[in-house]
Amino acid sequence: MSKWIYSIFIAYLLLGIYVLVVAMRIPLLGISVDTTSQKPVITEFYYSTWAQQNNIEKGDLLLTIDGIPAENVRSIQLDSIVRSAKELTFMKTNGDFHSVKVKHKDNPEEFYLQIIFPLFYFVLSLGVAIYLWQRNKDNQLTSLLTLFLLTCSLTYISCGASSRGNLIGEAVISIGIVLCILLFIHFLQFYFRYLHLEWPYLNTKQLYFLLLFIPCCNFIMRINSDFRVITALIYLAIFAVLVLYAIYILLTSYLRTKLAKIRLITIAFITPFLPFLLFFVIPEILGQNPILHAEVAALFLLFIPFSFIFIQVNERLFDIEYQLSRLRYYSTLAFFSALILTTGITILVIDTLSIIQITSVFILIFLVIIASFYIKEQLDFKYRKIIFSSTGNYVHNLYAAVNRMGKAKDQQELLEQFKYEITEKLGTTAFTITTLTEDVPISRGEVNIVNNMTHLLLHDSGEEKIMLIIRHALQKEELLWLELLALYVSMFIDNLKLIEDLISEIRLMKDSNDTQLPWLDKLLWNIIEKEKSILAQELHDTILQEQLHLGRELDVIASSPIIKKDKVLDIREQLLNASKDLREYCENLSPPLLDTFGLQIALKKLIQKVKIRADFLLNAQIERVQFQDATLHLVVYRLVQELLNNAIKHAEATEVSLKLQVINCGFILQYEDNGIGCDIEDLMQSSASMGINGIRERVRAFNGDITITSSHNEGMQIFIQIQEDVESYD
């Protein structure tokens, strides 16, 4: 695939450069002539403003084109039109002869629409395609998206060469106008498969047969020039049908799925193609004058790279709502900024700019401003921790220094790194770090300047004090940087000492063979008491309250002269339900089937209960697992139990799948639902995160890996992998 992509990029560059050079060599004119008489007579102008400026009028007799008699020029013989030229000679109706040298700069409308915008689009599309391809080189979705962008660009920039009668330009635009939409529909088919969505539409491979019509039509057009207009209409008709078909696919798919990803792609496709279709293609097919010229209508295609740069086929699209809101924000700022700048330019040169030129300037400024916003955003993200000041980049340096010092393994290494940071940032070696035992007049982290010398107390443990002495004064920014860095150093030293004390205590316990650790015993005791408190509260609020209620009911019956059988049976039923609830509590605390029949039977029993309680379809695949560490059986049971409880309470799903798979020395547990989903960061802040956090902590306690992916209205997927430490049992 990579070799093909490299070949495509090279072909794109060669063809693009060729058609652009063709457009730049000779200016486009588009002068229609009447050839019924002996000499061609001018009847219509494509660029009327340019013709008026050069005193060319309808009825003028065209004599020569680039020194060749006009009647001998092929474009006049075939189509009665002067496509392009560098010099014209014509005779006015009064008999005067005039000669006009044609230059791009004399016709700004032709220069911008035929040269500048195509060149800009060519470079932009190439950059976007390379960016998308580099992110996912081996992904077929990315390859199709890259081909779509390059085909659109190559088709657009070939307009200039095609309008000048260049054979390669005509071939590229005739193939590209159909191929680009086919590639997009092909991309949609693969993307639907990636999203696990049904594709009830035509297979794209069948649509590619449409490309066979193009060489046939071109061949017929070369044989019979009268077929040229019909051929162009056939190409436009195929293009229009394919665009409408793609829009139909997108709209019906979005209405069926309501997926934000489909909505984004729909907007990204309709925005550039629909105006081109409505303002030029459809009127041209119907034989009417286009609302906009082809070059002007094609300007909307400039939105394609900006739209589809959002479509990332890594594992998902970008955060769609965030991207859309950001695009709206940037577009609003860019629109008003471009409007103000264009208005200013128009006021300054109002006599020389046409409506098309003003519109082109506005669109160009608009796109450049949006691109600038995104470039600035990337730079801000890269240097987000940088604050520029008169003496340097202190905040960024502080961030980098803290990162480097955080890797220190002991106090000595930490202080050595601290010395290095001072030397590098402050550019001085005139300092010392000393350890003192006597009292000092400053507190920890405080700076004291005495006799042009800077004193800073880094750490104070009571018995030992670490002092930094710099033998010269510092600037304000330097002092601020030093104080903040010293604060981090002090916290690092505290943490290192705590770690060292803990390691010493553990080593002492190991050497003395003493298994008692007071702090560990206290921690375990607190955890046990907390669990007891939770259980007591649960039993008090449920079963105990139910039993108190039943006791009062029995008192009423005992005081009644007549005992109603129905009432007694009702109380009996409630007692059985309370006993059932109590049994479930006991099973949750210590599943009896787990010890008696093993993990697989216990899980099947648990899944049966969930299927009865839940209102979703549960698909469970449980493989038989065996561990040397017996506690892992309980871990698996608890994980499955918590995942299913979370699905019942919070997921609001209609389908839930659970898969327990055996791997070498461990297991993989996969959970997936099609529920309401959530934002993971928001979930961690809510009360509903208690279950998820419990799962994560349980997995981490056994050195496992857990991956949670979810977003709003797109369900939740959880992947858990744990491998037991076999070496500890050898």
Side-chain angles (χ1 to χ4, degrees), residues 167-352:
L167 295 179
I168 295 179
E170 290 179 350
V172 170
I173 197 171
S174 61
I175 295 174
I177 197 172
V178 176
L179 181 60
C180 66
I181 309 301
L182 291 177
L183 287 169
F184 178 75
I185 297 174
H186 198 178
F187 164 78
L188 286 181
Q189 184 174 351
F190 273 86
Y191 188 65
F192 276 46
R193 184 184 304 171
Y194 167 77
L195 293 177
H196 304 290
L197 296 176
E198 181 186 1
W199 178 262
Y201 312 102
L202 290 175
N203 192 309
T204 313
K205 294 180 180 179
Q206 301 173 4
L207 296 176
Y208 278 109
F209 285 104
L210 291 172
L211 294 174
L212 298 177
F213 287 101
I214 296 175
C216 298
C217 292
N218 284 338
F219 178 74
I220 296 173
M221 183 179 64
R222 294 301 167 192
I223 297 176
N224 186 357
S225 59
D226 295 335
F227 197 66
R228 179 183 295 272
V229 176
I230 299 176
T231 302
L233 293 177
I234 291 174
Y235 296 156
L236 291 177
I238 295 175
F239 171 79
V241 170
L242 289 176
V243 170
L244 293 174
Y245 180 57
I247 293 174
Y248 167 76
I249 292 173
L250 290 168
L251 292 178
T252 55
S253 301
Y254 175 68
L255 293 175
R256 188 177 77 243
T257 63
K258 300 297 183 182
L259 287 177
K261 298 175 182 179
I262 304 297
R263 186 176 76 239
L264 174 67
I265 298 178
T266 304
I267 296 172
F269 181 79
I270 289 178
T271 301
F273 281 102
L274 192 59
F276 181 70
L277 185 69
L278 296 178
F279 297 152
F280 174 74
V281 175
I282 292 179
E284 191 77 15
I285 294 173
L286 297 177
Q288 304 296 322
N289 290 327
I291 300 173
L292 295 175
H293 289 308
E295 302 97 316
V296 179
L299 287 176
F300 290 96
L301 300 179
L302 290 171
F303 287 102
I304 292 176
F306 290 103
S307 299
F308 280 87
I309 197 172
F310 294 125
I311 302 178
Q312 300 296 312
V313 285
N314 189 354
E315 290 183 356
R316 59 182 182 85
L317 292 180
F318 274 140
D319 184 343
I320 305 302
E321 295 302 330
Y322 167 69
Q323 295 298 334
L324 289 177
S325 63
R326 186 175 61 165
L327 179 62
R328 285 193 297 268
Y329 174 67
Y330 287 166
S331 299
T332 302
L333 293 178
F335 177 82
F336 288 106
S337 301
L339 186 62
I340 293 172
L341 290 174
T342 306
T343 303
I345 294 172
T346 305
I347 293 174
L348 292 175
V349 289
I350 191 169
D351 297 331
T352 58

Side-chain angles (χ1 to χ4, degrees), residues 1-12 133 137-138 143-144 146-147 150:
M1 181 63 73
S2 296
K3 293 181 179 179
W4 280 103
I5 294 295
Y6 282 126
S7 302
I8 289 169
F9 277 128
I10 293 172
Y12 173 79
W133 178 66
K137 292 185 178 180
D138 299 323
S143 300
L144 287 171
T146 303
L147 290 173
L150 294 181

Side-chain angles (χ1 to χ4, degrees), residues 28 334 431 487 547 660 675 705 715:
L28 181 69
F431 66 90
L487 180 62
Q547 289 181 345
L660 177 62
D705 297 321

Side-chain angles (χ1 to χ4, degrees), residues 355-380:
I355 296 298
I356 294 179
Q357 291 171 339
I358 293 172
T359 305
S360 303
V361 170
F362 172 80
I363 293 174
L364 179 62
I365 295 175
F366 177 76
L367 295 177
V368 169
I369 292 175
I370 287 184
S372 302
F373 283 147
Y374 279 100
I375 293 172
K376 176 184 178 299
E377 180 183 272
Q378 294 301 317
L379 293 175
D380 287 345

